[in-house]
Amino acid sequence: MRRDCPHCGGDLGQRFIRWSKIQQTTFLRSCPMCGKEIEHWFHREEFVLRGLAIVVAIAVSGWINFRGGFLLPVIVGTAILVAAYVIVTKRLQDAQRYKKGRNEA
């Protein structure tokens, strides 16, 4: 995933990640190089992958409870999640992590 500023193209790397779920802070920040407002962008595929992980965990638990066995359901669940992760990673390889802020044109 690309981590450059949508305004100036400067590399932000990991310097921008400062928000906290516990404090419920806003995702709006500014680029340290050009000072313009940028926003952390969550892609739809990331939400789908998180939802799939929950569904797979519930399905594996149900499979273990009703059918018995442990190793096969865990292997199948892990294979599904690894395949989904690889697909999402390849799909979002050239996607932009940050977008212009709400107040920017």
Side-chain angles (χ1 to χ4, degrees), residues 44-54 80-81 84-85 88:
R44 185 177 353 151
E45 290 88 348
E46 294 173 309
F47 288 114
V48 170
L49 187 61
R50 291 175 186 181
L52 178 66
I54 293 169
I80 290 171
L81 290 178
Y85 178 76
V88 168

Side-chain angles (χ1 to χ4, degrees), residues 39-91:
E39 187 175 346
H40 193 88
W41 191 5
F42 287 107
H43 296 276
R44 185 177 353 151
E45 290 88 348
E46 294 173 309
F47 288 114
V48 170
L49 187 61
R50 291 175 186 181
L52 178 66
I54 293 169
V55 169
V56 167
I58 292 170
V60 167
S61 298
W63 187 357
I64 290 171
N65 275 344
F66 295 119
R67 299 264 178 141
F70 178 76
L71 191 59
L72 183 62
V74 171
I75 290 173
V76 170
T78 303
I80 290 171
L81 290 178
V82 166
Y85 178 76
V86 168
I87 290 170
V88 168
T89 301
K90 291 293 181 185
R91 183 175 169 93

